[in-house]
Amino acid sequence: MTDFEQNIWERYGPSTDTDSPAPGESTRRLVLTPASAIEPEPVIWAWEPEQGEGRIPAGALTLAAGREGTGKSSFGIWLAAQLSLGKLPGSFFGKPRTVFYAAVEDSWSRTLVPRLMAAGADLNYVYRVEAQDILRGETMISLPLDVELIEQAIAEYGAAALIVDPLMSTLGSGTDAHRTQDVRQALEPLVRMAERTKALTLGIAHFNKASGSDASQLISGSGAFKDLARAIIAFARDPEGEQQVMTQTKNSLGRLLDLPSLGYRIEGTDIHTPKGVANVGRLEWTGIAERSVEDTLAASGDRGDVTERDEAATWLRDYLTDNGGEALVKDIKKSAAADDIAERTLERAKKKIGASTVRRGFGQGAVWRLPATDGDSPSPFPPQSRHSRQAVGVGGNGGNEGGNGPHLSDASLNVTDHGEGGTKAPKVPGPRGLAPSPSTEPSVSGNAAPCDVCRFPLDPVHAATGETTHPTCDTEETPPCPPTTA
C-alpha cells in the first residue's frame, strides 16, 4: 500500500486496532447516507459584487481562464488583496482573512510580492504555499497528494481562500492533463476539500490555441477541468475598445445569463523596493462592459481570419486579372509565397472569388481562372507569369506606352507598339481552342516567330529560349496549321 493509500485508509477506512488492513482486505468500502440525514444549506458567495449577483462560491472550485496576457493572474492577485483587507464583497467581507497562494510560473520576490503591494494587499495575510519533500526539498504542491496537508493548514490558519496559478501545473506526476479520468482523480479530492472547508478555491487556467467563442470549451486540457468547476470566469481583450473584459461563462450555483460582463484595465505601477523600483501591472475595474468575452473572441477570430482572407482574395483577383484572367497554379503559389500569403489562405481566397481550376494538356500544369461574368467569354489569354508577359527591354518598367507592356490590336492582332527601340512585343494570344481558322490566321510582322501549332506569334521571352510553341499548345492534340506564307 502506498503512503497516499495509507493516508486515505486511516482517514476513511473502518476503525481497527491495526495500522493497515489485513492481507487481502479491500482498501475501499461503500458509504450510504440517506438524504434526510443531510442538512440543506444555502450557497455561500465569497464574491458577490451586488446583492443576488454571486460570482465565486465559497466551498467550490472556480476557474479563471483566458489567453496569455489577459490579466487572469492579476485578477487572482486582486482577489487575494481584497480578502487580506476584508474588502471583498461577499461572505468574507468586513474582516481580513488569510489567503494561501500557490504560484508556479512567477517569481515571488520580483513579481508576486510587488503585484500584491500594488494591489494594496496586507502581506501578513498572504502566504506562499509550497511542499517540502525529504528528498527534493521545497517543491510545488502536488494534487491530489498534498490535499490533506492543505486542508490541515486551512484549518490551522483559518484561511479563507486557496489560489493556484496555474492549476494544471500542480497535477501530480504521471497525471495526463488531457485524460478525463486522470484529471478527475487529481482534482476530485481538491473539490471535496473545498466543500468541507468552505474555502474559496480558485484555479488559474489557460486557453488552448483553438479558435471559437465558447470560452469554457477553450480551456486547455481535459474537459474535466470545466466539468468539476462550479464557476468559470473568462478574460479577454476587447479589440474594439481600450479595455479588457471579464465574463461569467459558468455559474452552476447561481445566476448566469443576466450577469453583466465587467471591464477592466491592467495599469502599470511603480513599486519601490529596497533594491530599486519594480514596475508591475495592477488590475483596475472600469465598470460594466457592453461586450462579453464571447463577443470579443468572435470578433478577434473573425477579424483576423476574414481580413487575411479578404486581402488574399483581392491579391489573387488582381493577379489573375493582370494575367488575362488565368494563370498557372505553380506561378500563383510562388508569387503568393513571395508576398507572405499562406497556401491555405490562398486556397480560401480562391473559393471566395469563385475561381476555377482548369487542367491543361499533359505536362502543361493546371491554371486558376476567374469566373466569367454575364456576357463575357473565357479569357482569350493563356496563363503566364508576371515576367513572361513583358517584352524584352520594354513593358511595365520599360517606358513604353502601356503600363503592362504592348497590346494586340483587336482587329488584326498585329503588333503596333512603338516603345523604345521600336521593338514589337505582342502579348501571347488566346488558347488554342479560340485560335482562328487558317484562312483568318494573323499576319506576323516584325521579328516575332509564329507558333508551330496555332500560328500566332510567340512572345519574345519564349522565342528567345528557342521554344517554337506556346506553353498551352499541345502538339499531340492540336495538328499544326498550314504554314503561313510571307
Side-chain angles (χ1 to χ4, degrees):
M1 178 182 294
T2 65
D3 291 341
F4 177 70
E5 290 173 335
Q6 180 67 37
N7 289 335
I8 295 298
W9 176 263
E10 291 175 356
R11 178 164 187 158
Y12 300 108
S15 178
T16 65
D17 295 330
T18 60
D19 294 331
S20 61
E25 187 176 357
S26 173
T27 59
R28 297 173 62 83
R29 63 189 177 93
L30 196 63
V31 179
L32 298 175
T33 305
S36 58
I38 302 173
E39 184 178 358
E41 58 185 36
V43 176
I44 301 173
W45 292 105
W47 184 33
E48 190 176 20
E50 300 291 341
Q51 183 68 31
E53 294 186 1
R55 291 181 179 268
I56 298 181
L61 176 63
T62 298
L63 295 182
R67 299 203 188 280
E68 184 177 356
T70 53
K72 53 191 181 295
S73 293
S74 296
F75 172 74
I77 291 291
W78 174 84
L79 203 64
Q82 295 298 300
L83 286 166
S84 74
L85 299 171
K87 293 183 178 180
L88 184 69
S91 60
F92 300 122
F93 181 80
K95 180 181 179 181
R97 301 298 296 267
T98 296
V99 178
F100 290 167
Y101 207 109
V104 177
E105 299 174 347
D106 292 316
S107 165
W108 271 86
S109 59
R110 292 188 297 271
T111 304
L112 295 176
V113 170
R115 282 184 180 179
L116 287 165
M117 294 171 66
D122 186 335
L123 301 182
N124 292 312
Y125 285 94
V126 182
Y127 285 78
R128 176 175 63 184
V129 179
E130 293 176 318
Q132 189 170 42
D133 187 276
I134 296 177
L135 298 178
R136 293 180 294 175
E138 291 185 352
T139 184
M140 186 60 199
I141 61 171
S142 177
L143 301 177
L145 183 61
D146 295 323
V147 166
E148 185 176 358
L149 295 176
I150 295 171
E151 183 171 354
Q152 292 173 356
I154 288 175
E156 181 180 351
Y157 284 78
L162 169 67
I163 300 174
V164 185
D165 184 8
L167 180 62
M168 184 183 291
S169 296
T170 63
L171 301 186
S173 61
T175 300
D176 186 344
H178 296 276
R179 290 189 60 198
T180 297
Q181 192 64 24
D182 282 15
V183 173
R184 283 191 171 276
Q185 289 178 352
L187 293 186
E188 282 180 351
L190 180 70
V191 171
R192 301 290 177 261
M193 182 213 75
E195 187 174 355
R196 289 191 299 269
T197 62
K198 300 297 186 290
L200 182 162
T201 305
L202 179 74
I204 306 297
H206 297 297
F207 283 169
N208 55 40
K209 301 299 182 182
S211 60
S213 59
D214 188 337
S216 297
Q217 295 293 338
L218 292 176
I219 295 174
S220 293
S222 163
F225 282 100
K226 67 178 179 62
D227 294 339
L228 289 171
R230 297 297 84 200
I232 298 176
I233 302 175
F235 298 78
R237 286 193 179 92
D238 186 351
E240 296 188 3
E242 297 180 355
Q243 66 177 3
Q244 290 161 266
V245 182
M246 186 206 81
T247 300
Q248 194 97 15
T249 60
K250 180 177 181 178
N251 200 10
S252 298
L253 303 178
R255 295 163 53 187
L256 177 63
L257 296 179
D258 58 346
L259 279 180
S261 296
L262 302 178
Y264 64 95
R265 287 194 296 264
I266 305 299
E267 299 287 352
T269 306
D270 288 334
I271 299 298
H272 295 274
T273 75
K275 296 183 178 180
V277 177
N279 184 271
V280 294
R282 179 182 65 194
L283 185 144
E284 291 188 0
W285 300 104
T286 59
I288 295 177
E290 295 182 358
R291 288 156 53 84
S292 68
V293 167
E294 289 88 347
D295 294 334
T296 61
L297 290 174
S300 298
D302 291 346
R303 173 174 301 194
D305 189 52
V306 172
T307 299
E308 185 178 359
R309 182 192 61 195
D310 288 348
E311 290 177 352
T314 300
W315 179 94
L316 180 58
R317 185 183 291 107
D318 290 345
Y319 184 91
L320 293 176
T321 301
D322 288 347
N323 281 273
E326 62 184 36
L328 285 168
V329 176
K330 64 179 182 179
D331 291 341
I332 296 172
K333 291 183 177 181
K334 183 177 180 180
S335 297
D339 288 338
D340 295 327
I341 299 176
E343 187 169 328
R344 177 175 176 272
T345 304
L346 188 66
E347 293 284 353
R348 296 171 62 212
K350 171 179 174 280
K351 293 181 180 179
K352 180 174 176 62
I353 66 174
S356 59
T357 300
V358 179
R359 301 290 178 182
R360 292 300 189 187
F362 178 76
Q364 301 299 325
V367 300
W368 283 356
R369 176 183 294 171
L370 284 174
T373 58
D374 292 340
D376 289 344
S377 59
S379 168
F381 303 108
Q384 309 168 62
S385 68
R386 290 178 180 268
H387 303 290
S388 65
R389 71 173 185 269
Q390 292 186 7
V392 177
V394 296
N397 298 317
N400 60 5
E401 293 178 2
N404 287 315
H407 302 275
L408 298 174
S409 167
D410 291 335
S412 65
L413 295 178
N414 288 333
V415 178
T416 57
D417 186 288
H418 299 287
E420 291 183 0
T423 303
K424 298 177 180 179
K427 209 168 189 177
V428 181
R432 61 178 183 274
L434 298 178
S437 64
S439 61
T440 58
E441 72 176 342
S443 60
V444 182
S445 57
N447 297 323
C451 171
D452 288 346
V453 178
C454 70
R455 310 305 299 165
F456 280 92
L458 294 170
D459 66 280
V461 173
H462 285 91
T465 63
E467 297 182 24
T468 59
T469 61
H470 293 126
T472 55
C473 290
D474 192 334
T475 57
E476 295 182 0
E477 296 182 5
T478 306
C481 299
T484 302
T485 55

